[in-house]
């Protein structure tokens, strides 16, 4: 797809040589110690400036005053029950957001800890839905160096001094961490990030004759459904002695018994040393959580080898009353470079008292010969086997399927991380190298593509091992075969919304993952891998690129995973918007899961398919208007899977009644068909088909003038939930047109010919009406109303076409209209905003002024910008696509940007204010990669053109059809 040298940016955006001396790089040219050529880079002494949060204008505040009053009341009501409201704009974190983030630790779904680029461990999300952003400053790596002969010695924390939380004074009698040697300047130390790995290179700091590389490795491995769930990370230190004297080097990892915030002060925490197999030893830290949350166990460990000696200090404190103080521990390391071997037999410590901070330390010491090299490996693991939600439901995390639920599983996790990390790296490199080595792709794109995946770890993800499909979605006795011309007739599942038996959503709050009540079950023998029918995957469509999708494409899973359904997965809309799997946003983010963990993506779709066929009659007050409505309506796709009791109590979002939103149901149909077409998974199609029909039929109520098109209702009834829409809209109307095509194509493939015919008939009726009402000769108007922004240029106006092209369906419009609209967006929404250096603003008036109708119309949405760029790629506008997306890199990730790295926000304003950091939607950059490397099944779809196979009969009618559904061959 990408052709020639179309990019005007320099070939190497951030050459390694500009950050690390070439001689030093050559010294690290072994054992993966050298940072890669393409990576996001920072010097450790870079200033981590505070970020600027958005503020509504006076006019916007006046419009939102009633909403604000109702929300304030709701937030207080939730707090009175010990719950956090899913959206709380009134509470501000004590730790102000800064440009300090880095690659997070661990795999997906088992709790996460982020690590700033300067070395601090921060952004703690161990308990579902709760995030503690402040760093725990006792958690550090430190180094102690002594030269043979005793002439030189160095001792320093391996992080720049005077971090937040340390304070500026260092009294001589201070017993806490300010007594440590915070001697690192950071001027000659650099950080290099390529998720899921990061490298920190200390080029002669603190010892001018010692070169140090620390690489951080986490088991995020696409298509590996076992190790990608592990809460563990490895830190591999490579030491190179350039001096003439032998050097004794001791590396130290200190760790507080804490899960962030003030949790270390709650008391009853216990530390215990351990010795495991293969030279692995360390300390277990048993953490007793507050509010009856499940306990957490940390393991810090190092691997002893012939040249590396490991010792531990199971307990030290930060105050004068401690048996061993932080100052005493530091003095011991400065003097001896290690702890007493007898500490391993000390057994569990006494439980800590309230107000006491209990810490542990692991030291690994080695002699490094003159001009010699040495490798020292540490691991960090944590085990919190049970997930407990506020309203009582509990589940076992995914990794417990392989490691059990014992609190000592952290020992095995730490051991396996230290003994398997080289294989992890090999698999990660095999996945990343085809993209990194593609010379046709811009450098910034390559590493930003991988680094945006941070959200799948740091986005509050939960991954449990739970059966999926219940009998109301699958007849487990029917074996699905690979048909050439399968004919599917509809039976049992009645999907006419007006003639149905409602399946009530379960509200059982005592559900455990070992209990199958009210949940879907996946018969594993029927599961067909997502890529079974895909074969090889084409690279860029010009056929000349070396960038073939390796693991990043849809591929066969490992043999040992063949009977694994993939479990159930949740991820937050954002750390500020605490709702699980927000579906209107998942529409953008889901490309990453489809390409990298397709079983997870299909199972999320199965969860929503079951939700479509559910009804929850409880009454909810909607905050925007103050009216009351039903929590979950049959046939409507829920906004989210819930907050305090996901899967059981959906639609935590309560600002608007989302059963009246116009984008959720079409987005469900489009995502299902994209996944179905990309994977060729017939069983998946059969599983979700009743919900697809129900979702389509539900939307008929919004076609009030019988012209085939749905109409918006004069309020923000779509993902832009402050941006009012009147009549037919480019965004929702385009999604509806695309959904009609997708439903028709899916129906014909499943053999439901009557429904295919009704969808195609509806599409042929609706399309000319859409164009007549919205096409103005160069783009599609925002809506068909008469408001001041009805003729605005919406960046996202071709969202339906994006999915149509991504699924191999015929284009919604002729090529001229598609390219003309995208060109208008590029010329106005992109290039008229700081010369294209910020992305695409959501709304722009045709006179070239930003649409300031509401806060969202004037915002730049990072994920939408990536989505627009993906649409441009699919339309053959590659140069415009990468220029558009580069704006998000420049504004968020570059050295001259606003500091949004590893916390990409939902939105930013032209003056650099953010809204909602660490947000799901920017994962849509993988929509660009999907567009560049479409699966074979999608590329070949135009040859088939399912729409042409639907022959219309003389019979006319709506979407209702009561025929019906089982498989016959």
């Amino acid at each position: 797809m990408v052709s020639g040298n179309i990019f005007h940016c320099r070939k190497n955006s951030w050459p390694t040589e500009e950050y690390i001396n070439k001689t030093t790089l050559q010294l690290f040219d072994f054992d993966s110690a050298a940072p890669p050529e393409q990576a996001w880079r920072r010097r450790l002494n870079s200033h981590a400036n505070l970020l600027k949060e958005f503020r509504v204008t006076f006019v916007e505040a006046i419009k939102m005053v009633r909403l604000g009053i109702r929300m304030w009341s709701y937030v207080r009501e939730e707090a009175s029950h010990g719950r956090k409201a899913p959206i709380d704009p009134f509470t501000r974190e004590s730790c102000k957001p800064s440009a300090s983030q880095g690659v997070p630790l661990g795999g997906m779904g088992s709790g996460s800890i982020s690590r700033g680029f300067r070395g601090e461990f921060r952004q703690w999300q161990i308990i579902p839905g709760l995030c503690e952003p402040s760093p725990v400053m006792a958690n550090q790596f430190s180094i102690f160096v002594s030269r043979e002969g005793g002439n030189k010695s160095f001792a320093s924390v391996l992080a720049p001094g005077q971090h937040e939380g340390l304070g500026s004074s260092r009294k001589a009698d201070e017993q806490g961490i300010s007594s440590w040697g915070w001697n690192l300047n950071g001027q000659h130390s650099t950080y290099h990030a390529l998720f899921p790995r990061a490298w920190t290179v200390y080029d002669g700091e603190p010892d001018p004759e010692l070169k140090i590389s620390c690489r951080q490795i986490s088991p995020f491995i696409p298509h590996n459904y076992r190790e990608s769930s592990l809460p563990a990370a490895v830190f591999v230190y490579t030491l190179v002695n350039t001096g003439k004297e032998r050097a004794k080097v001791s590396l130290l990892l200190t760790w507080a018994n804490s899960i962030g915030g003030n949790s270390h002060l709650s008391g009853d925490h216990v530390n215990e040393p351990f010795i495991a197999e293969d030279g692995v030893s360390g300390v277990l830290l048993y953490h007793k959580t507050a509010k009856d949350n499940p306990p957490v166990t940390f393991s810090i460990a190092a691997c002893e080898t012939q040249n590396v000696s490991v010792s531990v200090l199971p307990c030290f404190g930060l105050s004068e009353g401690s048996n061993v103080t932080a100052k005493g521990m530091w003095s011991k390391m400065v003097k001896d470079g290690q702890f007493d071997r007898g500490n391993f037999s000390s057994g569990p410590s006494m439980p800590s008292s309230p107000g006491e901070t209990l810490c542990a330390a692991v030291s690994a010491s080695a002699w490094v010969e003159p001009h010699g090299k040495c490798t020292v490996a540490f691991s960090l693991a944590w085990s919190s086997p049970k997930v407990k939600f506020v309203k009582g439901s509990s589940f076992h995390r995914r990794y417990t399927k392989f490691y059990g639920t014992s609190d000592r599983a952290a020992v095995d996790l730490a051991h396996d991380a230290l003994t398997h990390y080289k294989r992890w790296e090999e698999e990660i490199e095999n996945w990343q190298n085809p993209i990194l080595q593609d010379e046709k792709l811009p450098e910034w794109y390559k590493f930003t593509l991988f680094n945006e995946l941070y959200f799948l770890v740091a986005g509050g993800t939960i991954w449990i091992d739970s059966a999926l499909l219940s009998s109301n979605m699958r007849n487990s006795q029917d074996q699905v075969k690979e048909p050439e011309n399968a004919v599917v007739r509809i039976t049992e599942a009645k999907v006419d919304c007006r003639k149905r038996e409602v399946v009530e959503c379960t509200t059982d709050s005592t559900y455990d993952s070992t209990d199958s009540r009210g949940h879907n079950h996946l018969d594993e023998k029927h599961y067909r891998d997502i890529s079974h029918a895909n074969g090889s995957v084409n690279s860029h469509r010009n056929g000349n690129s070396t960038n073939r999708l390796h693991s990043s494409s849809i591929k066969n899973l490992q043999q040992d995973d063949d009977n694994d359904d993939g479990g159930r997965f949740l991820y937050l809309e954002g750390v500020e918007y605490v709702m699980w799997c927000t579906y209107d946003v998942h529409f953008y983010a889901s490309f990453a899961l489809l390409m990298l963990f397709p079983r997870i993506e299909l199972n999320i779709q199965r969860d929503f398919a079951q939700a479509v066929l559910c009804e929850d009659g409880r009454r909810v007050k909607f905050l925007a208007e103050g009216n009351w409505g039903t929590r979950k309506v049959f046939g409507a796709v829920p906004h989210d899977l819930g907050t305090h009791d996901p899967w059981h109590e959906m639609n935590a979002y309560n600002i608007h009644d989302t059963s009246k939103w116009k984008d959720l149901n079409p987005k469900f149909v489009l995502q299902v068909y994209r996944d179905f077409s990309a994977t060729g998974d017939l069983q998946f199609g059969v599983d979700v088909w009743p919900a697809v029909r129900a979702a389509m039929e539900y939307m008929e109520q919004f076609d009030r003038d019988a012209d085939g098109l749905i109409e918006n209702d004069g309020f923000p009834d779509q993902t832009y939930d402050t941006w009012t829409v009147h009549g037919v809209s480019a965004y929702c109307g385009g999604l509806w047109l695309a959904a009609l095509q997708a439903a028709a194509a899916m129906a014909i493939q499943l053999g439901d010919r009557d429904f295919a015919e009704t969808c195609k008939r509806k599409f042929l009726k609706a399309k000319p009406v859409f164009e007549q009402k919205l096409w103005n000769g160069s783009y599609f108007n925002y809506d068909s109303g008469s408001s001041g922004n009805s003729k605005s240029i919406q960046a996202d106006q071709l969202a339906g076409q994006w999915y149509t092209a991504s699924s191999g369906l015929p284009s919604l419009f002729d090529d001229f209209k598609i390219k003309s609209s995208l060109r208008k967006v590029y010329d106005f929404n992109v290039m008229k905003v700081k010369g294209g250096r910020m992305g695409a603003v959501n709304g722009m008036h045709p006179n070239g002024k930003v649409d300031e109708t509401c806060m969202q119309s004037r915002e730049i949405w990072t994920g939408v910008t990536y989505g627009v760029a993906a649409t441009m790629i699919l339309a053959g506008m590659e140069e415009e696509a990468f220029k558009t997306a580069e704006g998000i890199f420049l504004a968020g990730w570059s050295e001259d940007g606003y500091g949004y790295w590893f916390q990409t926000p939902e939105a930013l304003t032209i003056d650099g204010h953010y809204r909602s950091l660490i947000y799901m939607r920017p994962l849509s950059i993988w929509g660009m990669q999907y567009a560049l490397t479409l699966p074979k099944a999608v590329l070949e779809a135009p040859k088939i053109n399912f729409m042409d196979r639907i022959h219309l009969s003389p019979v006319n009618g709506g979407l209702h059809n009561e025929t019906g559904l089982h498989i016959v061959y």
Side-chain angles (χ1 to χ4, degrees):
M1 170 63 78
V2 177
S3 56
N5 296 316
I6 64 172
F7 304 112
H8 49 77
C9 60
R10 55 184 172 144
K11 182 178 180 181
N12 294 299
S13 307
W14 291 339
T16 321
E17 294 81 0
E18 291 187 8
Y19 288 76
I20 307 175
N21 183 282
K22 284 186 178 181
T23 304
T24 302
L25 277 175
Q26 290 171 355
L27 292 173
F28 288 135
D29 191 20
F30 74 103
D31 192 36
S32 301
E37 290 184 13
Q38 294 94 10
W40 179 88
R41 312 188 198 281
R42 276 295 175 279
R43 299 189 188 280
L44 263 61
N45 66 343
S46 297
H47 179 60
N49 58 293
L50 294 178
L51 307 182
K52 299 182 292 184
E53 190 172 8
F54 90 107
R55 293 287 185 269
V56 296
T57 65
F58 178 76
V59 173
E60 290 166 352
I62 294 298
K63 291 179 179 178
M64 298 170 70
V65 65
R66 289 188 178 90
L67 169 62
I69 293 171
R70 296 187 190 105
M71 184 167 284
W72 169 252
S73 177
Y74 171 68
V75 168
R76 293 184 63 188
E77 173 68 16
E78 287 293 281
S80 71
H81 295 289
R83 300 190 294 262
K84 178 178 171 61
I87 302 175
D88 178 5
F90 308 106
T91 303
R92 289 289 174 265
E93 299 290 349
S94 57
C95 174
K96 293 184 178 180
S98 63
S100 57
Q101 298 287 12
V103 174
L105 304 168
M108 300 189 299
S110 296
S112 69
I113 306 167
S114 289
R115 193 170 185 230
F117 73 88
R118 297 183 302 182
E120 68 273 24
F121 295 86
R122 59 191 310 136
Q123 210 75 34
W124 301 73
Q125 295 187 86
I126 306 296
I127 296 173
L130 296 181
C131 179
E132 292 285 358
S134 300
V136 176
M137 294 307 297
N139 298 353
Q140 296 290 344
F141 281 101
S142 302
I143 193 167
F144 304 82
V145 185
S146 60
R147 294 281 172 175
E148 205 165 43
N151 296 325
K152 303 174 185 175
S153 63
F154 303 89
S156 180
V157 178
L158 286 174
Q162 297 306 302
H163 267 160
E164 52 192 291
L166 275 180
S168 57
S169 63
R170 300 185 188 178
K171 297 180 181 179
D173 59 348
E174 173 62 55
Q175 300 297 309
I177 62 174
S178 62
S179 65
W180 295 354
W182 297 88
N183 302 317
L184 195 79
N185 176 277
Q187 182 178 356
H188 301 293
S189 301
T190 52
Y191 181 83
H192 313 258
L194 187 65
F195 178 89
R197 296 190 293 172
W199 291 254
T200 306
V201 176
Y202 306 89
D203 195 356
E205 291 190 277
D207 182 345
E209 296 181 332
L210 186 67
K211 310 298 184 181
I212 308 166
S213 168
C214 171
R215 73 184 187 279
Q216 170 188 314
I217 309 154
S218 292
F220 182 97
I221 306 168
H223 308 282
N224 183 325
Y225 291 79
R226 175 185 173 117
E227 287 166 305
S228 295
S229 72
L230 304 187
V234 178
F235 304 89
V236 183
Y237 281 85
T238 302
L239 311 170
V240 181
N241 182 5
T242 63
K244 298 179 181 179
E245 301 163 320
R246 192 172 179 230
K248 183 182 179 182
V249 181
S250 296
L251 289 159
L252 177 73
L253 171 58
T254 52
W255 200 259
N257 198 322
S258 168
I259 58 171
N262 294 319
S263 61
H264 55 289
L265 301 175
S266 57
D268 284 337
H269 310 311
V270 174
N271 292 357
E272 178 185 10
F274 72 86
I275 298 177
E277 298 177 344
D278 302 312
V280 175
S281 56
V283 181
L284 284 174
L285 298 88
Y286 302 99
H287 185 86
K288 184 178 180 181
T289 56
K291 299 180 181 179
D292 294 323
N293 283 304
V296 182
T297 305
F298 291 96
S299 171
I300 56 173
C303 191
E304 193 160 82
T305 66
Q306 186 176 3
N307 189 42
V308 178
S309 175
V310 176
S311 59
V312 301
L313 181 63
C315 298
F316 71 88
L318 303 183
S319 59
E320 189 171 349
S322 305
N323 186 32
V324 179
T325 64
K327 183 177 182 179
M329 182 277 301
W330 189 266
S331 298
K332 172 71 172 176
M333 287 298 299
V334 170
K335 178 183 176 183
D336 300 332
Q338 60 189 22
F339 302 114
D340 298 335
R341 296 292 295 181
N343 290 345
F344 280 113
S345 58
S346 62
S349 68
M350 293 293 293
S352 62
S353 303
E356 177 187 6
T357 302
L358 192 62
C359 302
V362 173
S363 169
S365 304
W367 284 97
V368 188
E369 300 298 326
H371 307 292
K373 302 174 182 178
C374 181
T375 298
V376 179
F378 290 85
S379 66
L380 166 68
W382 57 96
S383 178
S384 181
K386 183 170 282 192
V387 175
K388 181 183 177 185
F389 291 102
V390 171
K391 290 193 174 180
S393 295
S394 61
F395 308 87
H396 285 127
R397 295 189 193 264
R398 166 79 176 176
Y399 78 90
T400 63
K401 177 175 181 176
F402 316 109
Y403 285 83
T405 59
S406 166
D407 53 11
R408 293 187 66 85
V411 173
D412 296 328
L413 286 161
H415 169 273
D416 289 357
L418 284 168
T419 55
H420 294 166
Y421 74 85
K422 290 184 179 179
R423 179 174 51 79
W424 294 353
E425 285 196 288
E426 182 180 354
E427 294 186 33
I428 291 167
E429 289 171 359
N430 288 340
W431 158 46
Q432 294 184 335
N433 282 343
I435 294 173
L436 296 175
Q437 294 168 4
D438 190 338
E439 295 183 356
K440 294 183 175 65
L441 295 173
E443 298 297 311
W444 68 263
Y445 170 78
K446 296 176 186 179
F447 55 79
T448 306
L449 177 72
F450 292 114
N451 285 334
E452 288 284 19
L453 291 172
Y454 84 93
F455 188 83
L456 289 177
V457 172
T461 55
I462 293 174
W463 194 359
I464 66 170
D465 187 56
S466 177
L468 284 168
L469 284 181
S470 61
S471 57
N472 71 334
M473 291 187 67
R474 174 185 297 191
N475 181 347
S476 62
Q477 302 303 313
D478 288 342
Q479 177 96 20
V480 176
K481 304 173 184 177
E482 182 72 43
E484 293 223 344
N485 295 301
V487 179
V488 179
R489 288 201 304 268
I490 303 181
T491 76
E492 304 173 5
K494 299 285 186 180
V495 291
D496 185 333
C497 292
R498 293 171 295 189
K499 298 181 180 180
R500 71 183 190 275
E501 293 182 11
V502 173
V503 181
E504 293 188 2
C505 295
T506 176
T507 56
D508 179 7
S509 62
T510 60
Y511 180 80
D512 192 274
S513 60
T514 58
D515 185 352
S516 61
R517 288 169 293 153
H519 283 263
N520 296 333
H521 302 282
L522 181 62
D523 185 351
E524 293 179 350
K525 68 180 180 179
H526 292 325
Y527 185 88
R528 210 170 40 247
D529 182 64
I530 186 165
S531 60
H532 182 75
N534 279 351
S536 62
V537 181
N538 284 11
S539 53
H540 303 335
R541 279 189 268 175
N542 63 9
N544 296 323
S545 172
T546 59
N547 180 24
R548 301 181 65 82
L549 277 184
H550 189 70
S551 296
S552 61
S553 82
I554 302 149
K555 65 179 269 276
N556 290 324
L557 300 177
Q558 298 182 144
Q559 290 295 321
D560 61 358
D561 279 345
D562 281 348
N563 293 322
D564 187 348
D565 65 27
R568 300 180 103 177
F569 189 83
L570 297 171
Y571 64 147
L572 292 176
E573 179 178 338
V575 295
E576 295 179 35
Y577 299 158
V578 187
M579 294 165 282
W580 301 109
C581 293
T582 297
Y583 201 75
D584 56 308
V585 185
H586 181 69
F587 175 80
Y588 298 83
S590 58
F591 284 91
L593 288 173
L594 175 62
M595 296 185 75
L596 305 178
F597 296 95
R599 291 182 184 175
I600 289 177
E601 166 61 12
L602 295 190
N603 287 343
I604 289 175
Q605 302 292 39
R606 287 185 170 100
D607 278 336
F608 276 91
Q610 184 174 5
V612 168
L613 303 177
C614 289
E615 185 166 285
D616 184 343
R618 286 174 290 180
R619 305 292 285 172
V620 174
K621 185 177 183 179
F622 300 112
L623 304 180
E625 301 297 334
N627 58 313
W628 290 78
T630 302
R631 174 176 286 277
K632 170 65 181 68
V633 177
F634 180 92
V637 173
H639 171 274
D640 54 79
L641 292 178
T643 291
H644 301 308
D645 200 10
W647 296 298
H648 296 104
E649 185 180 273
M650 293 171 284
N651 279 333
Y653 177 93
N654 62 347
I655 295 178
H656 298 291
D657 182 354
T658 59
S659 68
K660 297 178 181 178
W661 276 20
K662 310 308 183 296
D663 63 335
L664 288 169
N665 282 39
K667 284 177 174 175
F668 170 70
V669 175
L670 288 171
Q671 287 184 76
V672 162
Y673 185 73
R674 178 205 57 193
D675 297 348
F676 177 69
S677 64
T679 66
D681 192 328
L682 179 64
Q683 184 64 70
F684 168 71
V686 172
D687 290 341
V688 300
W689 180 243
V692 170
R693 286 197 52 174
M696 292 298 293
E697 292 175 0
Y698 181 85
M699 294 301 292
E700 269 206 311
Q701 64 183 298
F702 302 120
D703 177 13
R704 297 184 175 88
D705 55 5
D707 62 356
L709 277 176
I710 59 171
E711 287 85 37
N712 292 83
D713 285 328
F715 75 100
D717 49 357
Q718 26 77 46
T719 194
Y720 299 89
D721 59 353
T722 68
W723 199 357
T724 298
V725 198
H726 301 273
V728 176
S729 73
Y731 184 70
C732 295
L735 291 171
W736 173 241
L737 287 179
L740 285 169
Q741 267 207 139
M746 190 169 181
I748 198 67
Q749 292 173 75
L750 293 178
D752 188 356
R753 297 182 181 279
D754 290 340
F755 195 74
E757 183 178 333
T758 56
C759 287
K760 181 175 180 178
R761 194 183 305 277
K762 198 88 168 178
F763 173 80
L764 294 175
K765 182 178 182 181
K767 178 182 173 181
V769 177
F770 180 91
E771 297 191 22
Q772 184 269 323
K773 289 189 175 183
L774 296 178
W775 179 250
N776 61 22
S778 60
Y779 65 95
F780 294 98
N781 289 336
Y782 177 68
D783 64 29
S784 63
S786 55
S787 66
N789 70 327
S790 288
K791 293 184 178 180
S792 287
I793 308 160
Q794 184 180 13
D796 215 1
Q797 63 185 268
L798 288 180
Q801 172 60 27
W802 175 26
Y803 261 72
T804 293
S806 297
S807 305
L809 293 169
S811 293
L812 294 180
F813 315 106
D814 61 56
D815 192 57
F816 168 75
K817 290 187 175 70
I818 293 170
K819 288 189 175 181
S820 176
S821 298
L822 291 172
R823 170 57 66 179
K824 195 75 173 183
V825 169
Y826 178 76
D827 289 342
F828 280 69
N829 302 58
V830 177
M831 296 308 295
K832 288 186 182 297
V833 179
K834 295 197 173 180
R837 297 180 61 84
M838 289 199 70
V841 70
N842 283 335
M844 180 73 78
H845 289 296
N847 63 3
K849 293 184 178 180
V850 173
D851 183 346
E852 297 191 352
T853 303
C854 65
M855 71 177 192
Q856 290 178 346
S857 62
R858 62 182 168 91
E859 287 177 332
I860 295 160
W861 283 12
T862 53
V864 166
T865 297
Y866 288 143
V868 170
T871 312
M872 290 174 173
I873 291 171
L874 291 164
M877 299 170 62
E878 297 92 349
E879 185 168 3
E880 293 88 345
F882 282 98
K883 177 66 177 177
T884 296
E886 187 182 23
I888 301 303
F889 164 76
L890 293 171
W893 289 84
S894 73
E895 291 191 70
D896 299 326
Y898 298 112
Y900 300 140
W901 44 82
F902 300 101
Q903 52 186 334
T904 314
E906 155 74 321
L908 57 147
T909 59
I910 293 174
D911 58 355
H913 289 69
Y914 75 87
R915 180 170 62 80
S916 186
L917 295 172
I918 311 182
Y919 195 81
M920 180 198 294
R921 203 180 323 243
L923 284 170
S924 60
I925 192 173
W926 281 85
M928 295 177 66
Q929 189 62 20
Y930 185 89
L932 292 168
T933 50
L934 289 172
K936 181 180 178 181
V938 173
L939 285 172
E940 292 183 347
K943 302 175 186 176
I944 303 169
N945 199 339
F946 293 108
M947 294 297 285
D948 289 345
R949 290 171 50 186
I950 304 171
H951 303 290
L952 299 181
S953 66
V955 180
N956 199 356
L959 292 177
H960 298 289
N961 185 305
E962 295 182 46
T963 57
L965 206 128
H966 59 250
I967 305 173
V968 264
Y969 299 103

